Amino acid sequence: MSLHILSDVVLFLIDQTLMGRRQIDSEPTRWVSLTLLVMGLLSCSLVYMFMSSILRPNEDDTFSLVSELESTEAEENDGGCCRGIDNLELWGAAVKWGSDHKFNSSIECCNACKAMCNVKDGPCLCDSWVFCGNPEVCGSKFGECWLKKQKDPLAPDRQEAGENTIWTSGLIFGKGEGVVKMETQYGTLRIKLLPECAPHSVMYILELLTMRHCVGCQFYRAEGRGQSWNSKGHHLKSATFGPPFALIQGTLEAEGVIFNKIPTEECPIIQRGSVAWIGAGPEFFISLANHEEWKKSYTVFGQVLPEDMEIAEKIATLPTIPDVWNNVNVSVLEKPVSFSVRRFNKVFMKS
């Protein structure tokens, strides 16, 4: 069994047991089949883990399965993120010409752009990068790293995309840049997007910005911190880990926008204010607490500005109805809270 299949099984089970799933229709036959399939995959997984422990006796056996299956790209970059999107070429004014600026990997190219963005004040000198990393198809262009500046970072200029595109591209948002807002009737949540960690996710959010209305976007589940986490999101000693699970959950599937499943991207430990997908989306959640117990299970694509967390807390206090999703006790909002996704003018983040 491949690591990719094992990863999907583990993440599926975590979604079901920790997060639950909103149930829309009663489909017993489908769920019985799915249950049998998962049981079969789990059996294979146990065999795989047993064999792995024999074949790799020197590995730390306390290292979690989920952590083993994650990409090590961020670790290679000293803990930082530097991801891009394959088969995508971003346009824009060049600040470094690729023909005279070459590297061996996309991470090095990304870091070169980041280095031009480490300024305390003012805009980034580089906010996008384009790299050619396949020697077979790139030919003489192999290693070229083009550093560029977009006219509008929240609406990057795409030159070409598709399987025939030889380039890999990424975005960099500097301090105070790349902030969008979720407008609700209870207030506005400003969210700093993380394109270096979750480029596919961020590209989808940027697509939503082109919509006049985000019809269908809403929060439908709300659970406060209860007696388990303090106001700073720290777990209290000897307290349970839920329910309630300290989150507000919703969907970012908007009418008029085709949603394609988001591939697993950077999955850090969930912190208070983390904005993350459930599985491959479009369901997502905003965490009201630090959830080390969830390990590294969810793609995080944004962070709510600390001063706006009171809005998320307010939504978590709205009237709810108890429900059970896949044997998980949840609290469903009596009235879902609709929101729109809009761009936000530049704001400098607190250090």
Side-chain angles (χ1 to χ4, degrees):
M1 174 174 285
S2 69
L3 289 179
H4 295 295
I5 296 177
L6 282 171
S7 177
D8 290 342
V9 172
V10 172
L11 294 180
F12 170 83
L13 292 175
I14 290 173
D15 280 349
Q16 303 304 311
T17 56
L18 293 181
M19 196 62 63
R21 282 288 186 176
R22 181 172 49 161
Q23 295 180 353
I24 300 175
D25 298 310
S26 177
E27 302 178 74
T29 301
R30 180 171 66 87
W31 282 109
V32 169
S33 300
L34 183 57
T35 300
L36 292 174
L37 174 61
V38 172
M39 289 176 65
L41 290 174
L42 274 177
S43 298
C44 294
S45 301
L46 291 174
V47 173
Y48 175 85
M49 286 185 286
F50 175 75
M51 293 303 296
S52 296
S53 64
I54 297 175
L55 296 174
R56 293 195 295 266
N58 294 325
E59 290 187 353
D60 183 1
D61 58 8
T62 63
F63 199 59
S64 71
L65 176 61
V66 174
S67 295
E68 286 181 343
L69 298 175
E70 288 174 345
S71 170
T72 59
E73 183 175 15
E75 296 176 356
E76 293 172 357
N77 189 38
D78 297 325
C81 298
C82 244
R83 294 172 178 260
I85 298 177
D86 293 335
N87 307 122
L88 171 67
E89 181 182 3
L90 292 178
W91 211 232
V95 295
K96 284 277 189 179
W97 287 72
S99 54
D100 303 317
H101 191 239
K102 294 189 176 185
F103 291 107
N104 293 320
S105 71
S106 61
I107 293 179
E108 292 177 289
C109 182
C110 172
N111 279 326
C113 185
K114 270 189 175 182
M116 299 180 69
C117 201
N118 290 331
V119 292
K120 294 182 178 180
D121 299 302
C124 287
L125 300 178
C126 171
D127 56 23
S128 51
W129 53 272
V130 180
F131 177 76
C132 200
N134 187 330
E136 293 183 2
V137 297
C138 292
S140 62
K141 296 182 181 297
F142 174 67
E144 287 191 7
C145 173
W146 293 77
L147 304 185
K148 302 184 177 184
K149 177 70 176 174
Q150 298 292 322
K151 291 182 179 179
D152 183 354
L154 291 179
D157 187 3
R158 300 189 187 194
Q159 171 69 5
E160 192 176 6
E163 294 183 358
N164 294 326
T165 304
I166 64 176
W167 303 94
T168 295
S169 298
L171 293 172
I172 302 292
F173 290 153
K175 186 176 181 180
E177 297 180 319
V179 178
V180 298
K181 57 183 180 179
M182 289 184 178
E183 294 181 336
T184 78
Q185 64 188 91
Y186 300 100
T188 298
L189 292 160
R190 291 171 296 173
I191 298 171
K192 167 75 172 180
L193 298 177
L194 307 173
E196 307 99 308
C197 298
H200 291 89
S201 303
V202 169
M203 281 297 185
Y204 176 72
I205 301 301
L206 298 187
E207 187 176 358
L208 291 181
L209 294 180
T210 65
M211 304 293 292
R212 185 173 182 180
H213 302 288
C214 195
V215 179
C217 297
Q218 61 178 7
F219 292 109
Y220 53 77
R221 175 186 177 188
E223 301 179 15
R225 290 176 280 105
Q227 303 300 314
S228 297
W229 293 273
N230 64 20
S231 60
K232 293 185 178 180
H234 301 307
H235 186 255
L236 302 177
K237 186 177 180 180
S238 301
T240 67
F241 289 99
F245 291 101
L247 57 82
I248 56 175
Q249 179 177 330
T251 180
L252 275 163
E253 187 171 22
E255 293 183 11
V257 178
I258 298 176
F259 182 86
N260 296 314
K261 290 185 177 181
I262 303 294
T264 301
E265 301 186 284
E266 190 68 17
C267 299
I269 294 294
I270 297 296
Q271 302 292 324
R272 176 175 167 83
S274 293
V275 187
W277 296 116
I278 299 173
E283 294 176 290
F284 77 105
F285 67 91
I286 295 175
S287 180
L288 306 181
N290 303 324
H291 285 291
E292 291 87 354
E293 76 279 10
W294 290 352
K295 307 302 180 183
K296 299 179 179 181
S297 306
Y298 301 98
T299 293
V300 175
F301 60 90
Q303 184 75 28
V304 176
L305 269 61
E307 53 266 39
D308 291 349
M309 283 301 295
E310 62 182 27
I311 305 301
E313 295 276 5
K314 184 186 298 185
I315 294 174
T317 64
L318 296 176
T320 58
I321 302 171
D323 201 351
V324 178
W325 297 347
N326 305 308
N327 296 319
V328 177
N329 293 320
V330 300
S331 298
V332 180
L333 287 166
E334 289 185 358
K335 296 181 179 179
V337 176
S338 298
F339 60 83
S340 59
V341 180
R342 303 188 186 281
R343 61 171 55 229
F344 189 77
N345 292 331
K346 186 174 181 179
V347 55
F348 287 100
M349 307 285 289
K350 293 182 178 180
S351 58

